[in-house]
Amino acid sequence: MGGITAGPVEDYLYSILPPRDEVLREMEAEADRNDVPIVGPAVGRILYQLAVISAAKLIFEMGSAIGYSTIWWARAVGEDGRVVYTDGDPKNASKAKAYFQRAGVSDRIILKTGDALELLSEQKQECDIIFNDVDKDDYPRVFRIALAKLRKGGLFVADNVLWSGKVAQKKPADASTKAILEFNRLLYDSHDLFTTILPIRDGLAVAIKK
Ligand SMILES: C[S@@+](CC[C@H](N)C(=O)[O-])C[C@H]1O[C@@H](n2cnc3c(N)ncnc32)[C@H](O)[C@@H]1O
């Protein structure tokens, strides 16, 4: 799953995870085969916990790919909860749709294709959780759009905020690393948020809106 923790520790963390059901296992295998950068089961469990702890009922996911993280959220929100799936690639959306049916969560998912930033800008109802997993260069722009769409006490969650450890480079050269560095700074500097970066897998930022 490409984690930043020392190899043996990373292996240990994944070795003790309880087995997933058939659908999630199949998605993990597909992601592995086709290099789809899913959050994987260790982070999937955190997403599930965050939604349950905060009793989230409306989650907006930005960058959903084949819908792996979407299913973790959908299972956590319960029958009366909703998760907005977004991805720019219609092929991903059709694969995800089939997985949602098999996972028995289709009724909880609002499937949207297109630019996740535009789709979030059009979102009318305030969200309980916004999950950011789009192209990393766009992270600072997502920050600027997301806060207004989140309810007070809601969670802003972002994946890959340690970017394979590249955030610790002395002179980061690539645009994605620079964008993530800016994003992390924005999160911690914001007076509207209280943020923690969890150094699991590729780094997960969890921020609560004050
Ligand atoms: C890291 S993958 C998402 C993985 C997914 N969250 C999971 O863990 O199962 C990122 C996805 O976001 C999509 N994406 C990237 N930038 C986007 C944007 N601005 N709008 C919509 N989708 C975007 C890509 O097509 C890709 O499928």
Side-chain angles (χ1 to χ4, degrees):
M1 294 293 167
I4 57 146
T5 319
V9 178
E10 188 82 1
D11 291 346
Y12 170 72
L13 284 174
Y14 282 91
S15 74
I16 56 168
L17 291 178
R20 274 74 67 201
D21 65 278
E22 195 189 324
V23 179
L24 287 181
R25 276 206 314 271
E26 213 178 287
M27 295 174 94
E28 289 166 15
E30 175 175 353
D32 206 28
R33 237 181 6 256
N34 300 336
D35 286 330
V36 185
I38 60 168
V39 292
V43 170
R45 293 175 68 87
I46 300 178
L47 303 184
Y48 181 93
Q49 286 177 302
L50 290 173
V52 170
I53 293 165
S54 64
K57 290 293 164 198
L58 179 59
I59 298 178
F60 195 102
E61 183 174 72
M62 309 177 73
S64 303
I66 58 172
Y68 181 83
S69 49
T70 325
I71 291 181
W72 284 97
W73 289 124
R75 288 185 170 159
V77 294
E79 274 178 19
D80 57 339
R82 292 294 176 266
V83 183
V84 182
Y85 164 106
T86 67
D87 205 275
D89 183 346
K91 280 195 208 125
N92 278 342
S94 85
K95 279 186 188 169
K97 197 173 173 185
Y99 281 126
F100 298 152
Q101 272 158 6
R102 284 179 54 203
V105 294
S106 297
D107 294 352
R108 304 176 190 187
I109 291 164
I110 302 160
L111 204 135
K112 297 189 180 193
T113 45
D115 178 28
L117 287 80
E118 277 175 29
L119 293 166
L120 181 62
S121 303
E122 291 160 11
Q123 171 72 16
K124 297 273 184 296
Q125 208 183 334
E126 278 191 334
C127 305
D128 298 313
I129 295 178
I130 296 174
F131 177 47
N132 175 23
D133 200 9
V134 292
D135 289 344
K136 309 310 150 188
D137 298 21
D138 276 331
Y139 271 31
R141 227 156 47 87
V142 171
F143 174 89
R144 291 183 184 100
I145 298 169
L147 289 202
K149 302 292 177 181
L150 197 59
R151 76 161 165 82
K152 212 175 159 191
L155 300 176
F156 182 39
V157 181
D159 193 31
N160 306 109
V161 295
L162 296 178
W163 206 223
S164 307
K166 282 189 256 177
V167 288
Q169 285 172 340
K170 288 229 162 53
K171 285 188 184 163
D174 68 291
S176 299
T177 307
K178 285 182 184 166
I180 289 173
L181 287 167
E182 183 187 345
F183 178 76
N184 291 343
R185 191 73 342 266
L186 286 167
L187 288 179
Y188 277 108
D189 284 351
S190 170
H191 295 295
D192 297 322
L193 293 175
F194 189 92
T195 300
T196 302
I197 289 177
L198 305 175
I200 187 158
R201 202 186 69 100
D202 199 24
L204 187 77
V206 180
I208 185 161
K209 183 170 168 182
K210 294 188 222 166

